[in-house]
Amino acid sequence: MGNRIELNKIFVQNNTVQYTYHVEGDWKKYFYPEKKLKISYSVDISAASESVLAIPFLCNILPIAWLCDAEICIDVIDKYFYEHIEQIKDGYRTMYPMFSFKGKIQAETEKNAPLVKEKKSACFFSGGVDAYTTLFRHMEEQPVLITIWGADIKLTDEKGWHKVKTHVESVAKEYGLDSVFIKSSFRQMVNESELDRLVKKSGDGWWHGFQCGISIIGHAAPVAHRYGLKYVYIASSFPEKMKGQYTCASDPLIDNHVHYCGCDTVHDGYELDRQEKARYLISQKTAFKRKYDLRVCWESSGGGNCCRCEKCYRTILEIVSEGGNPNECGFQWGDKEMKRCKKDMENKIVQSQFNLDQFYPPIQDALKRNKDRIDGYEKYGWLLQMDFNKFNDAPMKKLRQNFFVRKFFGLLRRISAFSRGILNFNIWIYGNARLGEIVYVGV
């Protein structure tokens, strides 16, 4: 039996879309049959046809189908989307030449005109450096802000989602923008651990390397139809000058070929590196008094910034090096936090999946260039003296030991929390656990 998936029914009620489908073949292990795809929108999408509503489903399974040479059977699909599927597939082929991307799709096509012809734009907005840069670059278009619950914020993290939603609502109110919130189980319907094994030789994981771009963009198809969108912007994560040095499912090779309902996707800000984006945001605050609280951390729950992982450290130092104040941008930063950052970096317990020499030399250059604008510049001499090439050769044995020590003491702390009678023991454990701390990176 060959690999095959059939989309049987699309059911819509109260702006929530549910998909009924059947999977056949060996590739069934990559799906959780009991966890069906369910997507809820905060705006009215009742006018969207099945050919539009099928797009979020398709965007989530196409890369799997291509890798597994599977057949996708659906009744009807938006013609504009269908005509560009091969170009999307070619993007994956270019990025991952070690794989064969095959598979096929059987469907009738249907041309969908936007519900209204406003020619508006939208941008995916998570509150990070990349997202804010894209928003400010296109502010004159008054873009609709689209935020998805179920991407980096888990559906079980209601506290985190509330914080993110409240933040996005405040940004929309501040700048007079519409906002759309989407709740989706798209990451729950697939077995990411099995898919990680499927793509292991790529050197990347399933979510980051194969799913995140196209699956996120697909969710906006009913929104594009609803608002008559001309463009959907998704912020770049990597700069063009790093082309060929990274893999990522969100890339111009893929994103720019996702089209639907007369709407085009734009992978925005690709010409800028992260330091240049930080400089741009500081200039926006200075020139236009634009406010922003950045959300960059993928390590903390609750939708905030932990201010001690590599991603937080890096963003804070990027802001500082451009003459900005991290405490005005959603972070907690003072002498105490800086000393901890310095200690973590000197002990080489800051771990990233990327080479740190790609990010920190530009920060060092900016520090030197902007020294007259940086409050407490003399306190950052340690950063200027660091050789980040050495971080790429940090002894992994030490990192692994620190990891297991931290996990071990963390487990004991949780156990001790069940009993007040061993509270003092818990405090002792916490103090000793600091010996084994390790800091992890968000992508």
Side-chain angles (χ1 to χ4, degrees):
M1 180 186 298
N3 292 328
R4 185 174 182 273
I5 187 169
E6 183 174 354
L7 179 58
N8 302 122
K9 185 174 178 60
I10 301 176
F11 179 71
V12 184
Q13 185 176 29
N14 298 325
N15 299 316
T16 294
V17 190
Q18 299 186 63
Y19 301 83
T20 301
Y21 48 91
H22 177 67
V23 185
E24 299 175 352
D26 295 338
W27 74 323
K28 289 175 67 174
K29 64 182 178 181
Y30 300 124
F31 297 89
Y32 288 121
E34 72 280 8
K35 298 178 181 178
K36 298 297 184 181
L37 180 60
K38 181 178 178 180
I39 308 174
S40 298
Y41 292 85
S42 64
V43 294
D44 183 9
I45 47 92
S46 59
S49 67
E50 287 199 3
S51 61
V52 174
L53 297 175
I55 293 174
F57 173 81
L58 277 173
C59 285
N60 208 43
I61 65 168
L62 277 173
I64 313 176
W66 293 333
L67 288 167
C68 297
D69 192 15
E71 179 182 14
I72 302 173
C73 298
I74 60 176
D75 290 335
V76 63
I77 186 65
D78 176 71
K79 188 173 187 293
Y80 198 34
F81 177 81
Y82 180 82
E83 289 175 341
H84 293 88
I85 287 179
E86 282 301 314
Q87 290 175 290
I88 301 171
K89 186 189 289 187
D90 286 341
Y92 278 94
R93 285 172 175 150
T94 300
M95 184 167 292
Y96 300 107
M98 71 287 295
F99 293 112
S100 295
F101 291 88
K102 299 180 181 178
K104 60 182 178 180
I105 180 170
Q106 290 188 2
E108 297 293 329
T109 61
E110 177 179 87
K111 187 173 182 179
N112 287 281
L115 188 61
V116 292
K117 295 183 178 180
E118 299 182 21
K119 291 190 176 181
K120 284 189 174 182
S121 66
C123 64
F124 289 100
F125 188 78
S126 60
V129 170
D130 302 324
Y132 264 111
T133 299
T134 288
L135 169 60
F136 290 159
R137 278 161 55 98
H138 299 281
M139 187 64 82
E140 73 282 356
E141 301 171 35
Q142 291 289 282
V144 178
L145 304 183
I146 302 176
T147 308
I148 300 178
W149 182 12
D152 60 329
I153 300 292
K154 294 181 179 180
L155 296 181
T156 55
D157 187 3
E158 294 187 7
K159 179 181 177 182
W161 173 248
H162 176 73
K163 186 170 184 177
V164 170
K165 185 173 184 288
T166 301
H167 174 226
V168 175
E169 288 174 336
S170 68
V171 173
K173 183 178 180 180
E174 174 77 22
Y175 297 110
L177 307 174
D178 289 339
S179 58
V180 174
F181 299 99
I182 303 171
K183 180 180 180 181
S184 175
S185 64
F186 70 121
R187 292 192 67 175
Q188 295 182 333
M189 69 172 283
V190 297
N191 188 333
E192 286 193 25
S193 59
E194 285 290 342
L195 287 166
D196 283 340
R197 284 189 276 273
L198 174 66
V199 300
K200 184 177 180 180
K201 65 181 179 180
S202 72
D204 208 334
W206 177 256
W207 168 250
H208 180 262
F210 292 79
Q211 185 184 10
C212 66
I214 186 176
S215 61
I216 286 175
I217 296 168
H219 282 79
V223 181
H225 181 263
R226 161 71 177 79
Y227 281 94
L229 299 180
K230 184 64 176 176
Y231 299 106
V232 171
Y233 299 107
I234 184 167
S236 61
S237 297
F238 296 92
E240 187 174 13
K241 67 182 180 182
M242 285 179 62
K243 186 176 181 179
Q245 302 177 42
Y246 69 89
T247 55
C248 182
S250 183
D251 186 88
L253 288 170
I254 298 167
D255 296 349
N256 288 345
H257 299 297
V258 182
H259 308 272
Y260 35 61
C261 311
C263 176
D264 301 328
T265 304
V266 178
H267 185 90
D268 185 72
Y270 191 48
E271 71 277 16
L272 302 174
D273 65 23
R274 192 172 174 85
Q275 189 66 38
E276 290 169 328
K277 289 182 178 181
R279 186 180 312 146
Y280 174 77
L281 291 182
I282 297 299
S283 72
Q284 291 293 297
K285 183 181 287 289
T286 302
F288 300 102
K289 308 299 181 185
R290 286 177 172 167
K291 304 175 183 177
Y292 47 85
D293 285 327
L294 298 170
R295 185 179 71 87
V296 305
C297 183
W298 285 16
E299 294 302 312
S300 65
S301 59
N305 296 314
C306 73
C307 300
R308 64 182 308 161
C309 71
E310 191 276 331
K311 187 76 174 293
C312 283
Y313 282 156
R314 188 196 332 152
T315 308
I316 288 168
L317 293 174
E318 287 165 344
I319 293 169
V320 168
S321 67
E322 294 297 339
N325 183 351
N327 295 295
E328 297 177 355
C329 303
F331 299 95
Q332 183 176 337
W333 187 249
D335 289 344
K336 178 183 176 181
E337 289 77 18
M338 185 180 66
K339 288 178 181 178
R340 185 176 61 207
C341 174
K342 177 178 180 290
K343 181 180 178 181
D344 288 343
M345 289 191 171
E346 287 178 341
N347 292 332
K348 297 183 177 61
I349 59 173
V350 179
Q351 187 179 2
S352 170
Q353 76 176 88
F354 308 110
N355 290 339
L356 297 187
D357 62 353
Q358 297 173 343
F359 299 106
Y360 287 86
I363 294 175
Q364 292 171 318
D365 292 341
L367 273 171
K368 297 173 186 176
R369 183 175 63 251
N370 299 313
K371 63 180 181 179
D372 294 333
R373 299 171 49 211
I374 297 171
D375 185 26
Y377 171 77
E378 66 282 353
K379 297 179 182 179
Y380 294 92
W382 60 272
L383 182 61
L384 293 172
Q385 296 171 11
M386 299 196 77
D387 182 359
F388 285 94
N389 287 305
K390 293 181 179 179
F391 277 78
N392 303 331
D393 301 319
M396 292 306 296
K397 182 177 180 181
K398 179 179 179 181
L399 292 173
R400 286 195 294 267
Q401 287 174 344
N402 283 333
F403 171 76
F404 287 115
V405 168
R406 178 175 178 264
K407 288 295 183 182
F408 172 72
F409 283 114
L411 177 61
L412 290 183
R413 287 201 304 276
R414 288 193 295 272
I415 293 173
S416 67
F418 286 104
S419 173
R420 291 189 178 185
I422 56 173
L423 178 60
N424 290 334
F425 176 70
N426 183 42
I427 295 172
W428 179 85
I429 288 293
Y430 176 79
N432 282 274
R434 292 183 64 83
L435 299 173
E437 286 177 349
I438 182 170
V439 183
Y440 285 97
V441 61
V443 176

